[in-house]
Amino acid sequence: MTSWAKAPDFADQPARRDAVRAQTVVDQERYLEDGLTPLRCQACHTEVRVRKSSSRQTSVQWSENPATHCPVFAELSEKGYGPGRPDTCDRLQKTIKWAVDEGVLEVPE
C-alpha cells in the first residue's frame, strides 16, 4: 500500500535529505525569529515579540499562553474564547502603534 506524503522524505538520497533539513532550520529561523523585537505592553507589562512586515501586517509571538499574562485575554478565555479570537488585545495594539511611531519597531516600505 502506498501512502501519500506532502513532501518527499528523500530517504534514498541522504545528501539531499540533509540539505533539505538544513534549509528547514534556516527557514524556521527566518520566519520565527528574524526581525522580532521584544516589546512590553504599556497596560499590563506583558512582554511579547513583535515584527512589522508592512504597515498592515504585524506578527506577535507570545512566550506563554496570553490568558496567563494579559488581563484582556484572561477575561476572553473565561468567556470561552479560544486562542486567536480575537487576534490581539486593543491595549497591545496601542503599544505596537506607539512603538512604530517612536521608531522602536521598523516598518519596511
Side-chain angles (χ1 to χ4, degrees):
M1 176 178 202
T2 303
S3 65
W4 179 85
K6 184 174 181 179
D9 64 8
F10 301 113
D12 59 339
Q13 301 173 48
R16 189 167 185 191
R17 181 189 62 226
D18 292 345
V20 168
R21 287 181 180 163
Q23 186 60 50
T24 299
V25 170
V26 170
D27 290 344
Q28 285 177 328
E29 177 77 18
R30 180 174 165 217
Y31 291 111
L32 300 178
E33 302 291 332
D34 286 355
L36 289 167
T37 301
L39 188 64
R40 197 169 293 278
C41 178
Q42 293 173 331
C44 71
H45 307 289
T46 299
E47 186 172 287
V48 296
R49 296 181 334 147
V50 181
R51 174 179 51 231
K52 291 292 291 177
S53 298
S54 72
S55 61
R56 302 188 90 197
Q57 198 280 330
T58 304
S59 298
V60 176
Q61 285 192 355
W62 295 77
S63 60
E64 297 183 44
N65 180 348
T68 63
H69 295 284
C70 172
V72 172
F73 277 105
E75 181 180 337
L76 291 168
S77 180
E78 288 175 9
K79 293 179 180 178
Y81 289 91
R85 297 207 180 1
D87 294 332
T88 192
C89 159
D90 287 341
R91 296 171 186 172
L92 180 58
Q93 282 189 309
K94 287 178 184 175
T95 298
I96 293 169
K97 182 183 180 326
W98 168 87
V100 169
D101 292 345
E102 293 298 316
V104 174
L105 286 175
E106 292 185 22
V107 180
E109 293 187 28

